[in-house]
């Protein structure tokens, strides 16, 4: 089979040839049909400081947003049949640590992540523990299946608390912000405001259901949000940008007693006025990481057919053309890059 791999500790990936993986009794073999590029894969591609910490072995096959067909199963595998189409929970939990014992599998202390700590799925075949496979109902469009993993992040960000009738500011219109926009609308949010410096992403956020668009390079964020919310401020901020400037300008617009979900990762620590913007405002703040095992997956399965994810997919390419996909994400032309693998 062929696969996209990090072959040495430097920028870029290579296509490698490898034998089809052998499975153990608790694993399944998946023939990968669709896969998509995550922002974290881009960090691995450019080989930044964060990525250097994540890789322990070369070559390492990357990729963790995956959809494919079960083609082989170990003898201990339950509830999955050959031919089932599955999505993948990319976080491998240990089942033994304190966090796993109390049911917080998504923050397992011994977490391994597909495509970083273990070989991933930008390949023709992928072996995984069967408990990491999520059987997908037939009525879900197969090309959307790899997007269910990041959609789970959007689901947890939006639904950390009730969203119905709330005014929401979404900061950062990458794939997760765009999915969150649609989830807010179908879950009954009132006014949804999206914010990004990229006009194309803002345009797509409107297609996904955003009611108001803010470009902080052109608009005064505070004044515009106050105008939209009749001088009240937003009830909820969903932060996906990972930009400290984006976060700081957004947080000034939240109403007292509001709620914030933080998912975007910041490139470095920054100073922030906690007194005035968190404590005095009586905010509730959620750090969002991974997907709750398996409750987020059930929510995602129930929500995905109420949303059209097509506008988010900007590129459909073959594994061999990966460089185009990564470069177009880096230069801001791409939103979600989908690999069609046969
Ligand atoms: Zn990811
Ligand atoms: Zn654990």
């Amino acid at each position: 089979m062929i696969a996209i791999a990090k072959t040495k500790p430097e920028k870029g990936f290579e296509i490698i040839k490898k034998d089809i993986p052998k499975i153990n009794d608790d694993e399944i073999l998946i023939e990968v049909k669709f896969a998509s590029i995550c922002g974290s894969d881009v960090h691995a591609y450019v080989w930044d400081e964060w990525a250097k910490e994540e890789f322990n072995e070369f070559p390492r096959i990357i990729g963790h947003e995956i959809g494919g067909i079960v083609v082989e199963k170990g003898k201990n595998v339950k509830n999955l049949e050959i031919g089932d189409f599955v999505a993948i929970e990319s976080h491998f939990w240990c089942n033994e640590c304190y966090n796993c014992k109390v049911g917080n599998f998504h923050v397992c202390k011994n977490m391994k992540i597909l495509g970083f700590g273990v070989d991933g799925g930008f390949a023709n075949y992928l072996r995984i523990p069967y408990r990491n496979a999520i059987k997908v109902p037939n009525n879900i469009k197969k090309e959307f299946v790899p997007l269910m993993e990041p959609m789970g992040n959007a689901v947890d960000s939006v639904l950390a608390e009730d969203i119905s009738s709330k005014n929401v500011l979404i900061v950062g219109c990458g794939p997760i912000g765009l999915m969150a926009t649609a989830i807010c609308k179908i879950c009954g949010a009132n006014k949804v405001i999206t914010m990004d410096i990229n006009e194309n992403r803002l345009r797509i956020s409107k297609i996904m259901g955003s009611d108001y668009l803010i470009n902080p390079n052109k608009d005064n964020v505070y004044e515009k949000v106050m105008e939209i919310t009749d001088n009240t401020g937003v009830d909820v901020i969903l932060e996906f940008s990972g930009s400290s400037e984006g976060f700081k300008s957004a947080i000034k617009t939240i109403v007292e007693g509001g709620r914030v979900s933080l998912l975007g990762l910041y490139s470095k620590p920054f100073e922030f006025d906690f007194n005035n913007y968190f404590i005095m405002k009586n905010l509730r703040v959620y750090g969002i990481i991974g997907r709750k095992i398996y409750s987020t997956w059930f929510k995602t399965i129930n929500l995905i057919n109420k949303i059209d994810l097509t506008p988010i997919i900007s590129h459909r390419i073959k594994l061999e053309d990966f460089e185009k996909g990564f470069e177009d994400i880096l230069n801001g032309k791409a939103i979600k890059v989908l690999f069609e693998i046969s």
Side-chain angles (χ1 to χ4, degrees):
M1 67 170 194
I2 65 159
I4 303 173
K6 179 65 90 180
T7 52
K8 30 187 174 326
E10 59 188 52
K11 188 192 165 180
F13 298 128
E14 281 181 88
I15 293 282
I16 60 166
K17 286 204 167 70
K18 245 194 137 172
D19 291 339
I20 294 173
K22 302 233 178 316
I23 58 166
N24 68 32
D25 292 344
D26 295 306
E27 290 180 329
I28 56 171
L29 185 69
I30 293 164
E31 186 181 344
V32 181
K33 288 295 179 190
F34 294 99
S36 49
I37 298 178
C38 169
S40 63
D41 300 325
V42 180
H43 288 279
Y45 178 77
V46 298
W47 200 239
D48 62 11
E49 293 307 312
W50 177 83
K52 285 173 192 166
E53 298 290 315
E54 297 295 315
F55 285 82
N56 53 6
E57 219 181 283
F58 304 95
R60 170 68 76 219
I61 300 173
I62 57 144
H64 58 274
E65 297 180 3
I66 307 297
I69 298 169
V70 179
V71 289
E72 207 184 314
K73 61 177 205 172
K75 69 172 165 37
N76 297 337
V77 173
K78 297 178 194 79
N79 301 320
L80 282 172
E81 300 303 333
I82 307 294
D84 284 348
F85 207 93
V86 291
I88 310 294
E89 170 48 59
S90 61
H91 289 190
F92 291 12
W93 65 98
C94 76
N95 244 352
E96 303 298 334
C97 72
Y98 173 80
N99 292 354
C100 285
K101 296 278 187 212
V102 299
N104 289 329
F105 306 105
H106 64 298
V107 283
C108 168
K109 287 181 180 293
N110 304 309
M111 184 80 75
K112 284 202 171 119
I113 299 181
L114 189 67
F116 294 95
V118 289
D119 273 340
F122 288 171
N124 297 111
Y125 293 91
L126 166 69
R127 63 178 263 246
I128 54 156
Y130 81 91
R131 68 184 188 197
N132 284 77
I134 316 293
K135 187 179 169 177
V136 171
N138 276 331
N139 62 353
I140 292 176
K141 218 172 162 186
K142 303 287 182 277
E143 65 176 25
F144 293 160
V145 171
L147 275 65
M148 293 174 78
E149 194 253 26
M151 184 173 160
N153 299 134
V155 166
D156 279 350
S157 302
V158 174
L159 299 180
E161 287 183 12
D162 182 21
I163 198 77
S164 59
S165 82
K166 301 286 195 286
N167 291 329
V168 185
L169 175 60
I170 293 177
V171 186
C173 296
I176 296 178
L178 292 169
M179 289 191 265
T181 303
I183 295 164
C184 283
K185 289 312 280 189
I186 60 170
C187 292
N190 185 27
K191 292 173 177 170
V192 174
I193 309 164
T194 45
M195 173 169 146
D196 203 293
I197 53 173
N198 180 320
E199 284 290 332
N200 184 44
R201 291 183 172 215
L202 278 179
R203 182 183 64 80
I204 293 169
S205 77
K206 192 165 174 60
I207 300 171
M208 299 306 286
S210 173
D211 302 300
Y212 303 91
L213 314 179
I214 295 180
N215 182 338
N217 284 347
K218 294 181 187 166
D219 304 311
N220 180 314
V221 175
Y222 181 81
E223 281 175 13
K224 202 148 179 203
V225 170
M226 287 303 148
E227 187 190 312
I228 294 164
T229 59
D230 302 324
N231 281 321
T232 303
V234 288
D235 303 293
V236 176
I237 290 177
L238 308 177
E239 212 300 287
F240 302 112
S241 73
S243 151
S244 55
E245 292 311 308
F247 167 79
K248 285 185 204 168
S249 59
I251 205 76
K252 292 179 181 154
T253 71
I254 197 165
V255 70
E256 286 74 10
R259 182 261 288 197
V260 184
S261 290
L262 299 174
L263 180 115
L265 295 176
Y266 303 98
S267 55
K268 52 180 189 296
F270 59 90
E271 272 187 31
F272 175 67
D273 183 356
F274 275 91
N275 294 354
N276 281 314
Y277 293 114
F278 272 19
I279 301 169
M280 303 305 278
K281 278 203 167 187
N282 186 218
L283 300 189
R284 295 175 310 290
V285 181
Y286 297 84
I288 307 294
I289 179 81
R291 293 143 298 280
K292 299 210 181 76
I293 316 284
Y294 294 91
S295 59
T296 304
W297 282 98
F298 286 113
K299 290 179 196 170
T300 304
I301 286 170
N302 289 330
L303 290 170
I304 194 166
N305 274 349
K306 300 183 172 70
I307 297 174
D308 183 12
L309 295 176
T310 313
I312 293 175
I313 301 173
S314 59
H315 290 48
R316 293 157 196 274
I317 59 175
K318 300 284 168 210
L319 283 178
E320 293 88 334
D321 302 322
F322 70 88
E323 259 171 358
K324 161 102 180 130
F326 282 96
E327 290 298 331
D328 277 359
I329 293 174
L330 285 169
N331 64 31
K333 284 187 205 152
I335 296 183
K336 202 57 161 173
V337 175
L338 186 75
F339 288 115
E340 297 176 318
I341 306 165
S342 49

